[in-house]
């Protein structure tokens, strides 16, 4: 079913506060983390080293070239003992100083970085270069302590610089964006390199360099690394979409053109945003913070739909780009903690936690109604990362319980005799023979920090910043000597705005001493994922009060129902993109019983939406067949889940159109004598679709067309709109009902105003024109009404349907709408929830106002009967072509 998007801000005390975890239990879990790390690390050393990774099911090392290729995943492997390097600073954090010293000696004696092998620039940077720099930071810290690593003479740093120099050839492009791959021995762009022919890279791949390269520059005093990383970031910033301030997922490294224009906070983009904020934290350059804040404002405006984070198109950010989320976005609540935006961090984390509890692990991708989309789980650490940061921010023991859940699931489902195995399918519990290096580099760091006391830590983690691979870089680098000649792309338009610094980079120590704050935000989201109400119905004294309002009975135009909602603490919130959410504040209910009724009402609304959402129907066609159109104008229409199924009709339904009175169709039709035998035109709003259909059917109509009242909405920019029933049986509705967006509906209304009698054909697709009609139209043919302008719209809409079958959807009785937008913005129209249909009653369309200026010379046309409408309709449709071209390009972007 489509997603149920609503914010249930349940701020009442409906259940007791979580109990604080005892110190003994925290210590037990801390020790369990250490034991689990030992199990993974020792099995790698015993069965895999010096290979890059452990294969825990077969108890051997994964050596690239000796095992079957896994595609791009293997680009992280460079025959450089990846897991050992990635684990160096984890050993120190877990107080394994002796093991760390031994590991450093092994790296120095065994690891070679000049292998003739092609590796990912991104993965090698964050895992190997980051691992060497993190290990160097720890070695220096221990040496300064005077007890360990006294022999160390910056050997890891020398290796890091050697590796950095081997990565630099990848940056030899006109844009400064790096090639995605490099040969460690030969660089790029040579026959011996076997690389350098790529044209595209992901945004995160090019934008996740600055921390490691800047640290390398400041550790070594060589500014070349930081300069290249800054140049890449500057180029990405310049190529952002200037209206939405979003970036795409994939970019051409030579031209700077966006190859994939979908934008989110998950795979392909994630760590670009992370590194903008952390570059400010590490380096102290306000430019990075300014850019991050601008991006973040757009993320919260377009992508964030709490608790969900949904990809959009950068050029039309109100248009959803996909109907699922990937697990990499689980890092984002942790980044929001660093930003200081705690509320959405709590909400998104809770959603992720409930999905985790539902499937034991976060699936690699899951739908907006929390079902599995991609079933793999490679033991990713991002959820543990956000759990740790939220515990630091709130002090809420709830997050310790979340950490316990992670530990228990790893031991129950992923632990095998030779380590921990990735999940091939979270639904079946089957394993994959892989244990990625990031599992040791990140997962155990964050889990140990979650359960450890301050005295358990060998150093103050507040003195370090975590890279995206959780490697530790000292904040003292911000004052380290570096070249002042490093170029930046700061322009006059980027003058710093103090308002962008609000709520930025708070200390990660306790922000909210009251654990009730996060609990109040989590409670409703748990219900949203569970799709069940855990609380029993409250006892009611016999005869005391009326029965509670049921979701299936709710009518948005019923004042009594709105008052009942108010008493239950339920309110309607109009979103910035025109949609409306139901929000429940239990503390605003008139009583505890009313608050419980409100919770139940919200749950019923979700269940009603789930039950009534049927298989997605294809778009329908409304073909204007009367003179002077003769079938050349075909309008894309949304179907209804009730009434006549036009796909089963060989002829469709043909008839003249007439405007129903009242235009809303929400009460008995007063002009039934005109509606009888005709196809009634209705305005969207004020009641449910099924109610409109019943009223015009009673008046004798043979069909109905509902026209959107939100000016600017159009099928060429909005996903297909599908009309649903009202929660009751709709078997009594036997006529066809179709939906037109405002732009298409206005074409029909203009034609009716111009010609008085307009005949249309309602069908599943446009019908061919007969020979006699073709002969008739030759006398009044106007180039403006050729069908080529319309057919691509229908095709595009068919493609869009696949994207949006599970599109986000609020449980919003009679309140979902498309807000008025300007010509350059498309509404975020979605498949609407079945239980409602109406938009606010006050948003009525002014049918008397002409949509386009008439051509003053149209009377010179040979056929005076046709020119007025032809010009008018053509003008109404002329602006479709540009948007349609962009829309079709977006479809190509979709994988």
């Amino acid at each position: 079913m489509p997603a149920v998007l609503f914010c249930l801000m349940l701020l009442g005390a409906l259940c007791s506060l979580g109990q604080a975890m005892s110190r003994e239990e925290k210590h037990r879990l801390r020790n369990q983390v250490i034991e689990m790390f030992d199990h993974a690390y020792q099995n790698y050393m015993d069965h895999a080293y010096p290979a890059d990774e452990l294969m825990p099911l077969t108890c051997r090392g994964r050596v690239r070239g000796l095992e079957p290729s896994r595609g791009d995943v293997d680009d992280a492997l460079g025959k450089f003992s990846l897991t050992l390097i990635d684990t160096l600073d984890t050993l120190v954090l877990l107080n394994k100083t002796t093991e760390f010293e031994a590991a450093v000696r092994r790296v120095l004696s065994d690891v070679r970085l000049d292998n003739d092998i092609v590796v990912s620039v991104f993965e090698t940077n964050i895992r190997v270069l980051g691992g060497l720099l993190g290990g160097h930071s720890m070695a220096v810290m221990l040496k300064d302590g005077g007890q360990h690593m006294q022999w160390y003479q910056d050997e890891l740093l020398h290796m890091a610089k050697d590796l950095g120099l081997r990565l630099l050839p990848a940056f030899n492009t006109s844009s400064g964006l790096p090639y995605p791959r490099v040969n460690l021995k030969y660089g790029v762009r040579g026959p011996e390199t076997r690389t350098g022919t790529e044209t595209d890279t992901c945004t995160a791949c090019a934008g996740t360099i600055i921390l490691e390269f800047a640290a390398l520059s400041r550790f070594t005093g060589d500014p070349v690394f930081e300069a290249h990383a800054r140049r890449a970031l500057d180029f990405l910033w310049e190529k952002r979409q200037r209206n939405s301030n979003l970036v795409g997922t994939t970019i051409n490294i030579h031209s700077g053109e966006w190859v994939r224009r979908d934008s989110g906070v998950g795979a392909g983009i994630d760590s670009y945003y992370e590194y903008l904020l952390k570059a400010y934290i590490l380096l102290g350059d306000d430019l990075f913070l300014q850019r991050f804040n601008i991006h973040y404002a757009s993320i919260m405006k377009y992508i964030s739909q709490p608790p969900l984070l949904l990809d959009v198109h950068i050029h039309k950010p109100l248009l959803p780009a996909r109907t699922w989320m990937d697990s990499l976005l689980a890092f984002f609540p942790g980044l929001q903690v660093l930003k200081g935006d705690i509320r959405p961090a709590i909400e998104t984390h809770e959603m992720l936690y409930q999905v985790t509890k539902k499937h034991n692990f976060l699936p690699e991708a899951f739908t907006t109604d929390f079902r599995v989309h991609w079933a793999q789980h490679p033991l990713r650490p991002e959820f543990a990362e956000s759990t740790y940061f939220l515990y630091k921010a709130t002090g809420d023991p709830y997050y310790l319980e979340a950490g316990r859940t992670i530990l228990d699931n790893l031991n129950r489902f992923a632990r095998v005799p030779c380590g921990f195995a990735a999940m091939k399918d979270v639904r079946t519990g089957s394993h994959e023979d892989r244990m990625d290096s990031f599992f040791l580099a990140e997962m155990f760091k964050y889990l140990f920090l979650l359960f450890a006391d301050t005295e358990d830590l060998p150093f103050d983690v507040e003195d370090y910043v975590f890279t995206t691979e959780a490697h530790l870089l000292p904040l003292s680098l911000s004052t380290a000597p570096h070249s002042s000649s490093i170029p930046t792309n700061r322009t006059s338009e980027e003058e710093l705005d103090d308002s962008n610094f609000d709520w930025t980079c708070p200390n990660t120590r306790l922000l909210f001493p009251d654990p009730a704050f996060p609990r109040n935000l989590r409670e409703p989201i748990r219900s949203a994922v569970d799709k069940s109400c855990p609380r029993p119905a409250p006892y009611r004294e016999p005869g005391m009060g009326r029965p509670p309002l049921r979701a299936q009975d709710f009518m948005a135009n019923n004042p009594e129902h709105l008052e009942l909602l108010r008493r239950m603490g339920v309110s309607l919130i109009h979103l910035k993109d025109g949609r409306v959410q139901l929000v429940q504040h239990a503390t605003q209910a008139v009583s505890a019983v009313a608050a419980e009724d409100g919770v139940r009402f919200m749950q019923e609304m979700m269940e009603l939406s789930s039950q009534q959402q049927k298989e997605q129907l294809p778009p329908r066609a409304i073909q204007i067949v009367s003179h002077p159109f003769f079938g050349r104008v075909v309008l894309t229409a949304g179907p209804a889940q009730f009434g006549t199924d036009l796909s089963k009709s060989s002829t469709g339904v043909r008839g003249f159109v007439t405007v129903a009175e009242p235009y809303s169709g929400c009460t008995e039709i007063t002009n039934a004598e005109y509606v009888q035998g005709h196809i009634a035109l209705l305005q969207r709003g004020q009641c449910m679709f099924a109610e409109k259909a019943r009223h015009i059917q009673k008046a004798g109509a043979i069909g109905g067309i509902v026209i959107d009242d939100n000016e600017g909405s159009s099928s060429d920019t909005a996903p297909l709109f599908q009309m649903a029933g009202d929660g009751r049986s709709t078997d009594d509705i036997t006529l066809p009902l179709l939906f037109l967006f405002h732009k298409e509906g206005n074409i029909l209304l203009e034609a009716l105003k111009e010609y008085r009698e307009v005949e249309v054909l309602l069908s599943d697709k446009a019908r061919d024109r007969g020979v006699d009609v073709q002969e008739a139209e030759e006398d009044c043919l106007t180039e403006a009404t050729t069908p080529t302008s319309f057919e691509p719209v229908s095709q595009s809409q068919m493609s869009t349907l696949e994207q949006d079958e599970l599109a986000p959807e609020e449980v919003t009785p009679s309140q979902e709408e498309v807000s008025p937008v300007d010509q350059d913005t498309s509404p975020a129209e979605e498949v609407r929830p079945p239980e409602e249909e109406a938009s606010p009653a006050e948003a009525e369309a002014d049918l008397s106002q002409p949509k386009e200026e008439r051509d003053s010379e149209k009377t010179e046309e040979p056929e005076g009967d046709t020119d007025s409408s032809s010009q008018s309709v053509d003008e109404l449709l002329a602006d479709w072509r540009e948007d349609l071209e962009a829309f079709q390009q977006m479809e190509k972007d979709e994988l």
Side-chain angles (χ1 to χ4, degrees), residues 461-663:
V461 293
E462 300 289 344
D463 293 335
Y464 295 82
V465 65
F466 289 101
T467 69
T468 195
E469 191 76 3
H471 292 306
L472 293 154
L473 298 178
L475 295 178
S476 58
L477 288 175
S478 63
T479 60
H482 64 284
S483 173
S484 59
S485 63
I486 292 175
T488 65
N489 241 13
R490 191 190 299 270
T491 61
S492 58
E493 66 176 316
E494 291 184 56
E495 290 302 320
L496 296 180
D497 179 357
D498 288 344
S499 66
N500 282 322
F501 290 80
D502 293 343
W503 285 98
T504 298
C505 300
N507 190 297
T508 55
R509 298 187 188 279
L510 188 64
L511 293 181
F512 297 98
D514 180 11
F517 176 79
R519 180 190 59 77
N520 291 336
L521 298 178
R522 290 191 303 260
E523 195 69 31
I525 296 170
R526 181 182 303 119
S527 298
V529 178
D530 288 346
K531 297 292 189 298
S532 62
C533 186
R535 291 169 292 277
Y539 173 74
R540 290 179 180 274
E541 293 280 346
M544 292 293 291
R546 68 183 71 189
L549 177 65
R550 307 302 300 272
Q552 64 181 21
D553 300 324
F554 175 70
M555 300 290 292
N557 62 334
N558 187 322
E560 183 179 358
H561 288 184
L562 295 176
E563 173 61 19
L564 288 175
L565 286 189
R566 186 193 68 77
R567 294 178 62 82
M568 293 188 295
V570 178
S571 57
L572 304 178
I573 303 297
H574 293 263
L575 300 179
K576 45 188 171 282
D577 62 0
R579 293 170 300 164
V580 176
Q581 293 179 342
L582 285 177
V583 181
Q584 207 242 359
H585 302 267
T587 55
Q588 295 180 9
V590 297
S591 67
V593 170
E596 288 291 309
D597 289 343
V599 172
R600 189 177 302 102
F601 174 84
M602 299 296 283
Q603 191 61 43
E604 287 178 356
M605 194 63 78
M606 288 193 307
E607 293 169 355
L608 187 61
S609 176
S610 175
Q611 294 165 3
Q612 294 180 338
Q613 182 61 36
K614 302 177 182 178
E615 181 181 355
Q616 186 69 277
L617 300 174
R620 306 304 188 202
I622 298 177
Q623 193 168 8
I624 306 180
V625 297
S626 57
H627 172 83
F629 304 97
F630 299 116
R632 288 175 305 219
V633 174
V634 181
L635 307 174
T636 299
Q641 293 178 347
F642 52 85
T644 301
D645 185 353
L646 293 172
S647 66
K648 298 179 180 178
S649 172
S650 59
T651 59
V653 174
R654 182 168 178 161
F656 289 92
V657 298
T658 187
V659 177
E661 296 179 4
Y663 189 28

Side-chain angles (χ1 to χ4, degrees), residues 360-503:
N360 299 322
F361 299 96
L362 271 183
E364 195 72 335
F366 51 94
T367 63
T368 50
D369 60 343
F370 316 116
R371 292 180 295 182
V372 173
H373 184 68
W374 295 336
Q376 304 94 328
H377 174 75
L379 307 183
R380 293 200 184 278
E382 285 78 14
F383 178 67
E385 174 185 358
S386 289
T387 302
Y388 162 66
F389 279 113
L390 272 168
Y391 178 65
K392 290 283 288 184
T394 65
D396 188 346
Y398 179 84
Y399 296 109
L400 297 177
E401 295 300 330
R404 186 207 301 268
T405 300
I406 297 171
L407 287 182
D408 290 347
N409 288 342
L410 285 172
N411 278 320
R412 289 177 58 198
F413 303 110
R415 186 165 182 149
V416 293
C418 282
F420 291 84
M423 306 304 297
K424 185 175 182 179
D425 192 320
V426 298
R427 297 164 297 189
T428 63
S430 59
H431 289 124
E432 190 174 354
D433 199 5
R434 63 185 286 194
M435 188 180 80
D436 291 82
S437 67
F438 54 68
F439 182 61
L440 287 164
E442 300 183 67
M443 180 70 81
F444 293 110
K445 272 197 189 83
Y446 292 123
L447 290 176
F448 180 77
L449 287 169
L450 179 64
F451 296 113
D453 294 327
T454 303
E455 55 268 24
D456 297 327
L457 304 178
F459 56 88
D460 188 353
V461 293
E462 300 289 344
D463 293 335
Y464 295 82
V465 65
F466 289 101
T467 69
T468 195
E469 191 76 3
H471 292 306
L472 293 154
L473 298 178
L475 295 178
S476 58
L477 288 175
S478 63
T479 60
H482 64 284
S483 173
S484 59
S485 63
I486 292 175
T488 65
N489 241 13
R490 191 190 299 270
T491 61
S492 58
E493 66 176 316
E494 291 184 56
E495 290 302 320
L496 296 180
D497 179 357
D498 288 344
S499 66
N500 282 322
F501 290 80
D502 293 343
W503 285 98

